[in-house]
Every structure is written in C-alpha cells, then in structure tokens.
C-alpha cells in the first residue's frame, strides 16, 4: 500500500510541471484571439501612424522651415512664428474667427435646446421631426448649401424678396462688410441638428418624478426649467459646447464658397482656416501655413482646457 501511495505521489508531482490538455487548449485559443484582435486593429493603427501621426510630425517640422512645395525645406528656426505677430491679416482672421465662434456657438446651442424641449413634449411623428431638424447638420458644411446661402442672401435673393413684401429695400448681405459675417453665423446656427438630438436624448433621461414633485411644491414651469432641467443637462451642454467650439474654429467651406475664396468683402469673412489655406496653397508658403496650423491647434487645445477647468464650477454630475 505504501508503494502505491508513493507511486501516485510521484505521478502527481511529475504532472505539475506539464500543462494539461485543457490548459494547452486555453493558451492556444488565447493566442488565436490575440492574433484576431491584432488583425482587426491593424487598419486603425496604420491609419493612426500613416494618416494622422505622420503628417502631424511632418507639419511640425515644416513649421520651422521655409518651404514652397517645389524646393526642399530650408530650416529657419522660429521665424515663421515670429512673423505671425506682425501679420495684420492673420491677426484680423483671428478676430473674425473668435467673433464667429463666440457668437454663433451659444446661439446654436440655445436654438438646439429650445427645439429639443419642444420635441420632448411627445409630438406625433417625433422621428420624422427629428430627422428633418437633423438634416441641416448633415448638409450645412457642404458646398451646395454654401452656394445656396450666397444666393439666398444675395441682392436678388429670398431674404430681399421677403423684405420687399413689407416695403423694405434690401441689399447684398454677403457683399457688405458689416453683414457678411452675420450671414455665416446664421448658417452655423441653422446647423443645430446634431446638438439638438443629443439634448433630446438628455431630456429623456431626466426622471419625470422630479417634475411631479416640483409641481406639487408649486414650482412654475420656468422654475422647474431653471432648477431641474438646466442643472441635470449641464453635462450634455458641456459636451455639446466642446464639440461645437472645436468645429466652429475649423470652419472653412462656408467662408470659402460665400466669399469666392477671398475672405471678402474687406476680409470680413476671412476665417483663420481660410487664411491658412491662402498662405499654404495660394502663396505656396507651406512652412508659414504649417506654423499657423500649429497655432490653431494650440488655440483649440487652450479653449478646450479652459472649458474643462471651468466645468467644475457649473457642470452637475449628480454625484
């Protein structure tokens, strides 16, 4: 009996170092899963390094060079960045862009929130209304809509035809320095569909019991909106604000088409991205354009950081 026990003990000890068939099978399956994951992630990593990271690093290098697309880059250090402080058109384009962003984005979010509240009241055919109102967000950045916008606000456009019904003589809104930028702001406000859908989803997440309890306490609709809806929607407002600010700083197509690529009249629609395009592909000053692109990146990152830092004072997460 003792010999049998010793033999079984030796077999157990000798078998500890060798993986059993189940363990070997599990290891093989895990390796297969890892290979499959690497295969499906490979296109993303290729796109990251070839399409995103590669050009990003190349543009950073070109921002320190004098490069005209036809000759080899010539290293000039930080001269391109120093030139920006003396470039009046660049400073003007920054002013135009900041005016466009700081006015049109809040108006766009306000319009989106207002319509989301209206649609949240249980209208029939809600899916149809939601699709119709979302459509401008899909088309607003297209060349066709920009051409249409130029016609609508032109001298013989629909806006002047409507004003003529009341005896008001209109003008060429897109060709007047005082009003051209305003027409682009209206176009940006008109593309409220994407934030509206997000607001509508956020409104659907607010428990109805909060409103019922407030109504029992005698709170008016405006008080319920201020004390319940707005605080609980602040994370959604913050999310939409960050996205729309980034998108507004990158606006290009509308100004390019409406002004014919000139940023006129009198540089009133000279967005920063449009001036960057003119320097890079119009004047073939690609080194300076690359430096401008990095300045835009810093501005967007700075605005985003400010929003995140300020969010702790007004965004309510309910925890």
């Amino acid at each position: 009996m003792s010999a049998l026990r010793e033999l079984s003990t030796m077999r157990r000890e000798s078998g500890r170092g060798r993986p059993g068939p189940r363990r070997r099978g599990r290891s093989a399956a895990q390796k297969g899963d890892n290979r499959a994951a690497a295969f499906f992630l490979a296109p993303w990593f290729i796109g990251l390094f070839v399409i995103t990271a590669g050009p990003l690093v190349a543009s950073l290098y070109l921002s320190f060079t004098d490069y005209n697309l036809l000759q080899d880059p010539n290293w000039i250090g930080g001269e391109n960045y120093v030139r920006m402080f003396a470039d009046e058109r660049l400073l003007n384009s920054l002013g135009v862009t900041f005016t466009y962003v700081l006015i049109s984005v809040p108006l766009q979010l306000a319009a989106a929130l207002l319509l989301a509240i209206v649609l949240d009241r249980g209208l029939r055919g809600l899916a149809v209304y939601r699709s119709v109102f979302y459509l401008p967000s899909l088309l607003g950045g297209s060349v066709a809509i920009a051409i249409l916008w130029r016609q609508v606000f032109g001298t013989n456009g629909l806006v002047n035809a409507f004003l003529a019904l009341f005896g008001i003589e209109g003008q060429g809104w897109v060709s007047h320095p005082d009003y051209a930028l305003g027409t682009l702001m209206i176009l940006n406000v008109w593309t409220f569909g994407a934030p509206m859908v997000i607001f509508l989803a956020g409104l659907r997440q607010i428990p109805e019991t909060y409103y019922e309890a407030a109504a029992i306490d005698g709170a008016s609709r405006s008080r319920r909106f201020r004390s319940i809806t707005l605080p609980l929607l602040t994370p959604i407002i913050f999310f939409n604000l960050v996205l729309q600010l980034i998108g507004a700083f990158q606006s290009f197509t509308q100004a390019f088409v409406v002004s014919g690529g000139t940023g006129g009249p009198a540089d009133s629609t000279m967005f920063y991205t449009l001036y960057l395009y003119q320097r890079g592909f119009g004047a073939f000053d690609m080194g300076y354009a690359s430096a401008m692109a990095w300045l835009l990146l810093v501005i967007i990152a700075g605005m985003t950081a400010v929003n995140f830092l300020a969010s702790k004072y007004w965004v309510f997460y309910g925890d």
Side-chain angles (χ1 to χ4, degrees):
M1 293 295 292
S2 60
L4 291 176
R5 280 197 298 269
E6 291 179 1
L7 180 60
S8 61
T9 302
M10 292 174 60
R11 287 179 177 178
R12 285 197 301 270
E13 291 179 351
S14 61
R16 287 176 183 175
R18 298 196 306 267
R22 181 177 298 178
R23 183 176 300 176
R24 287 197 298 268
R26 186 182 305 154
S27 177
Q30 187 176 5
K31 291 181 180 178
D33 292 340
N34 292 338
R35 286 194 294 268
F39 174 77
F40 285 109
L41 288 174
W44 185 86
F45 280 109
I46 293 174
L48 174 64
F49 290 105
V50 176
I51 301 177
T52 303
L56 193 66
V57 174
S59 69
L60 179 61
Y61 166 74
L62 292 176
S63 69
F64 294 98
T65 65
D66 180 15
Y67 180 47
N68 61 7
L69 295 176
L70 302 177
Q71 299 173 339
D72 293 335
N74 180 31
W75 183 268
I76 58 175
E79 291 185 16
N80 287 326
Y81 294 94
V82 175
R83 283 174 56 191
M84 293 181 183
F85 295 98
D87 191 341
E88 294 184 359
R89 295 195 74 192
L90 183 144
L91 298 177
N92 174 73
S93 67
L94 282 175
V96 170
T97 303
F98 270 98
T99 301
Y100 171 80
V101 171
L102 297 179
I103 294 178
S104 65
V105 170
L107 292 177
Q108 182 195 53
L109 295 181
L113 179 57
L114 177 62
L115 278 172
I117 293 174
V118 172
L119 294 180
D120 189 49
R121 296 188 175 184
L123 297 176
R124 290 185 178 180
L126 177 60
V128 176
Y129 285 108
R130 188 165 49 198
S131 301
V132 170
F133 286 128
Y134 184 73
L135 194 60
S137 291
L138 298 177
L139 303 177
S142 65
V143 175
I145 293 299
I147 295 175
L148 176 63
W149 213 254
R150 186 173 60 184
Q151 297 299 323
V152 168
F153 285 93
T155 305
N156 300 317
L158 292 177
V159 173
N160 287 341
F162 176 76
L163 294 176
L165 298 176
F166 302 94
I168 301 175
E169 184 179 356
Q171 57 183 315
W173 303 97
V174 295
S175 59
H176 196 289
D178 295 335
Y179 305 111
L181 182 60
T183 62
L184 297 182
M185 292 180 184
I186 296 174
L187 176 56
N188 190 50
V189 173
W190 182 65
T191 60
F192 56 80
M196 182 208 67
V197 172
I198 298 175
F199 278 137
L200 186 58
L203 289 170
R204 293 298 176 89
Q205 300 302 315
I206 300 177
E208 191 65 27
T209 55
Y210 292 175
Y211 296 105
E212 294 174 356
I216 293 174
D217 290 338
S220 62
R221 287 187 177 180
S222 61
R223 182 55 186 267
R224 278 177 275 174
F225 176 76
R226 296 194 310 269
S227 302
I228 299 176
T229 305
L230 275 183
L232 295 181
L233 272 184
T234 48
I236 308 298
I237 296 173
F238 173 67
F239 176 78
N240 277 330
L241 177 63
V242 171
L243 288 186
Q244 298 308 315
L245 277 177
I246 294 174
F249 271 110
Q250 297 175 338
S251 296
F252 169 79
T253 305
Q254 302 92 325
F256 181 85
V257 174
V258 170
S259 68
T262 64
D267 284 351
S268 60
T269 60
M270 181 63 76
F271 285 177
Y272 187 86
T273 52
L274 178 56
Y275 185 54
L276 189 156
Y277 170 83
Q278 289 182 353
R279 297 304 306 173
F281 297 97
F284 295 104
D285 194 356
M286 189 58 68
Y288 188 60
S290 298
M292 288 181 61
W294 275 92
L295 176 60
L296 179 61
L297 174 64
V298 171
I299 292 173
I300 293 177
M303 292 291 291
T304 304
V306 169
N307 281 323
F308 272 92
L309 291 175
S311 65
K312 62 182 179 181
Y313 297 107
W314 65 275
V315 178
F316 174 73
Y317 289 105
D319 50 4

